[in-house]
Amino acid sequence: MRTRHAGAATLAALTALTLAACGGGEVGGGGEETGSGSDSGGDSIKIGIKYDQPGLGYQDGSEYTGFDVDVATYVADKLGYSADQIEWVEAPSANRETMLQTGQVDMIFATYSITDERKEQVAFAGPYFIAGQDLLVAEDNTDITGPEELEGKNLCSVTGSTSAQRIKDEYAEGVQLVERPGYAECVTALTAGQVDAVTTDDIILAGLAAQPANQGKVKVVGNPFSEENYGVGLPQDNDRCEDINTAIQEMIDDGSWEKAVTSNTEGTGYTPNADLNPPKPDACA
């Protein structure tokens, strides 16, 4: 009798589970996708960004802000992922290729310049912005208008960066190079009068200048002397490149791209190089 009762209980439980499964779709609304894109969104998407670049990719507690974040959020939406389905992942420069190759992220928006060397390891969509190496100087500095004027002056860049060395090699052999762990430390040195200029990509400098503590104290020279095509890093076997390029073009066409640039560099006087921007996203071609 105990065996018969156990069997009956099991049958009843299975019946209840079957009925619940049949009716669950109606109660929960089925498997409806979120986001406005036509692509299948799935549960979430992992996007790599910088956490320490104000105005581009910056983490403040649970908040993520910056131009890269804005572009990534727009693109994700067009792919079918709402903002709360995005999992932000820190993507340091040295780790970006590995993170894509090992599936730690699905894509990367992190001032990631498209180069032939990198394309041997990963794929790119975009570009979504074309930056150029420039200089950040004190607001009242009228002497430094380009890299040639740095002869005999102190120039700051981050440890391991090639930006400052490029100026020494190509423009001002007598420039004195100063290294700091991060660009925020370089700006602190600039406002304290310890260095005459800071160098890296212009939009990174603009993001730093836009910080409340720096506004009115520093400015971007506005004379870029290189061309850096920021792309969306993807695994080589991806099937999203064309869709991402379409989304970037839509962002440009509907004005959201310009709004994102302006809101993240407000108060700095910075404007993107009009000869290069807005870019034409054609990296998949």
Side-chain angles (χ1 to χ4, degrees), residues 31-47:
E32 292 180 2
E33 298 171 4
T34 57
S36 62
S38 60
D39 205 7
S40 176
D43 294 330
S44 65
I45 186 168
K46 294 182 180 180
I47 300 180

Side-chain angles (χ1 to χ4, degrees), residues 126-127 130 248-249 252 276 278-283:
I130 301 179
I248 294 170
Q249 189 62 58
I252 293 169
L276 303 175
K280 180 175 175 56
D282 58 1

